[in-house]
Amino acid sequence: MSQYDVVIIGGGPGGYNAAIRAGQLGLKVACVEKRDTLGGTCLNVGCMPSKALLHASELYDAAMGKEFATLGIEVKPKLNLSQMMAQKADSVTQLTKGIEFLFKKNKADWIKGAGKITGPGKVEVTAADGAVQTLEAKNIVIATGSEPTPLPGVTIDQQRIVDSTGALSLPEVPKKLIVVGAGIIGLELGSVWRRLGAEVTVVEFLDRITPGMDSETAKTFQRSLTKQGIVFKLGAKVTGAETSKSGVKLTVEPVAGGEAETLEADYVLVAIGRRPYTEGLGLESVGVTTDKRGVIETDHFKTSAPGVWAIGDAIHGPMLAHKAEEDAVACIELIAGKAGHVDYNLVPSVVYTAPEVAWVGKTEEQLKEAGVAYKAGKFPFTANSRAKINHETDGFAKILADAKTDEILGVHIVGPQAGEMIGEYCVAMAFKAASEDIARTSHPHPTRSEAGRQAAMGVEGWTMQS
């Protein structure tokens, strides 16, 4: 029986980063992963392949539409979907191999197979060929991530009705695609296929898109996506689906009541969220229970069972790869007797569409609800020189600061490269920066980052460029 200081179940961004950090700190560590490759959903069928398709489809759209012609580049592109998929797969392979290298470098063992807790300090691993081995661990870390939430009454067959995994590998560009769910995953994948030529309709139960996003930002974002040809049916629920060899008939009803309608499409993508992947892990063998959604309750990553920890999508908080990574580092450092901490208010969110949307901290709605007096500064990309030169003028940067102390409480950006720009504000807010600190810091010109500086100036009413 192999003995370890730490055994981690799951090799995604939470699990593999936990294994690497444990190795760095001199702990004997094993990571149990049942996929053929490390990296979890994120690397294999999530963040990475979707970004590969978003990037490729943006370039195709730029060449296909007015953008290249406006720049004086006259081309007639031809879509080679199989090559687009091949380069996506190649990039993913390179990344997963990179994690294997990091495991070797940091003396972390990868045990291939499905892990299950069979009692205190014991993890049973069943390999693909059915061979079983038991690992002994002083500490067990559950890092099993999440899976797509199913939609009652709609069967995902990965043929005509797909989840996010299936939508990354459709065999053809749909003539019509219906996306159920106007969250980040649905909008990213919907925008990929829209740019490649599909008619895309998004059906959303709520009366708005992207719940959790600052309301003004979401409205601006929706306008931009509508301009690109995505059709939204908000306040609508899916009540049935009928598949045939050639497509899907979807029955949709208004949430507020009214006539049902039938929508037809070649493919339907169900993207109504994700749920923790915590079933079948043997949690009951150590007395750990989950809530009705499958979330494991923790206190600083400790479960109710001694020596059993949980991180990432399996516990409360945003289901984001970089949040899982923060959890991983903090959890392992606590196990190693160090101080580990995550400030969940400073975990940024990004939507990698065009334009991008990124935010960190509080929304205006949250500040109003909490009764916090705040000031807002806003700057449109139409007035940003770099965005203008690049013909990327959709959106704005908005900074929310405490009315008394001027401390930055939230930042919301919809526009070009928003995901790259938000990091500046994560650092600023970690150091309790005031909006004036940003306003009086020189930013390179001409760059999109100046929009954030101008928004910071706007908090005190001295925006200079608009």
Side-chain angles (χ1 to χ4, degrees), residues 187-420:
L187 295 180
E188 285 187 354
L189 292 171
S191 73
V192 164
W193 293 107
R194 172 66 204 90
R195 285 195 288 261
L196 296 180
E199 285 178 34
V200 176
T201 301
V202 177
V203 178
E204 168 57 48
F205 185 82
L206 299 174
D207 60 0
R208 55 159 294 168
I209 70 167
T210 49
M213 185 187 285
D214 176 81
S215 178
E216 182 187 25
T217 308
K219 281 179 186 146
T220 299
F221 179 38
Q222 187 183 335
R223 271 200 303 274
S224 183
L225 293 175
T226 302
K227 209 160 64 179
Q228 293 167 43
I230 294 178
V231 175
F232 289 93
K233 283 190 177 295
L234 304 179
K237 63 180 174 186
V238 174
T239 53
E242 194 185 308
T243 56
S244 65
K245 277 185 182 172
S246 59
V248 187
K249 286 183 179 175
L250 211 60
T251 311
V252 177
E253 289 178 18
V255 173
E259 288 292 305
E261 63 176 321
T262 303
L263 304 178
E264 294 191 33
D266 307 293
Y267 296 92
V268 169
L269 160 60
V270 176
I272 59 167
R274 297 181 66 82
R275 62 181 183 186
Y277 188 85
T278 50
E279 265 186 46
L281 293 179
L283 299 178
E284 64 287 348
S285 71
V286 285
V288 172
T289 55
T290 67
D291 71 7
K292 62 179 188 293
R293 283 185 55 238
V295 177
I296 298 170
E297 296 289 339
T298 55
D299 178 13
H300 292 84
F301 316 110
K302 290 178 187 168
T303 69
S304 57
V308 180
W309 310 69
I311 62 172
D313 289 4
I315 67 172
H316 288 290
M319 287 185 166
L320 298 168
H322 47 279
K323 180 265 193 186
E325 181 178 345
E326 295 308 302
D327 283 358
V329 171
C331 177
I332 293 299
E333 289 181 349
L334 288 168
I335 287 170
K338 295 177 173 291
H341 173 69
V342 180
D343 184 343
Y344 292 111
N345 189 49
L346 296 184
V347 174
S349 293
V350 184
V351 191
Y352 294 90
T353 44
E356 288 186 352
V357 190
W359 68 97
V360 67
K362 303 295 183 203
T363 64
E364 288 202 56
E365 292 71 42
Q366 286 169 331
L367 293 175
K368 282 172 186 162
E369 202 178 313
V372 176
Y374 69 93
K375 289 182 178 179
K378 202 169 101 178
F379 189 81
F381 278 102
T382 47
N384 173 267
S385 52
R386 185 68 196 270
K388 224 182 189 75
I389 292 293
N390 286 21
H391 310 290
E392 303 170 322
T393 52
D394 271 5
F396 59 78
K398 177 166 74 172
I399 291 184
L400 309 174
D402 188 286
K404 289 195 193 79
T405 66
D406 196 34
E407 183 185 338
I408 299 170
L409 303 175
V411 179
H412 306 271
I413 305 172
V414 51
Q417 301 288 309
E420 300 293 342

Side-chain angles (χ1 to χ4, degrees), residues 74-116:
E74 295 184 5
V75 291
K76 281 195 176 168
K78 187 170 159 228
L79 178 64
N80 181 341
L81 188 62
S82 59
Q83 172 55 27
M84 194 177 279
M85 292 296 175
Q87 63 82 33
K88 173 197 72 171
D90 183 49
S91 299
V92 167
T93 301
Q94 288 176 43
L95 288 165
T96 56
K97 290 270 184 267
I99 298 174
E100 283 186 55
F101 164 75
L102 291 170
F103 268 38
K104 289 186 181 112
K105 180 183 167 186
N106 293 288
K107 298 184 175 62
D109 293 344
W110 171 19
I111 312 291
K112 296 183 186 184
K116 183 177 180 178

Side-chain angles (χ1 to χ4, degrees), residues 36-77:
D36 292 334
T37 50
L38 290 164
T41 295
C42 177
L43 257 70
N44 291 282
V45 289
C47 335
M48 298 309 163
S50 64
K51 301 313 158 282
L53 293 182
L54 282 156
H55 175 63
S57 66
E58 275 182 43
L59 292 175
Y60 175 75
D61 187 50
M64 193 75 177
K66 292 179 190 163
E67 199 170 327
F68 269 32
T70 303
L71 297 173
I73 305 166
E74 295 184 5
V75 291
K76 281 195 176 168

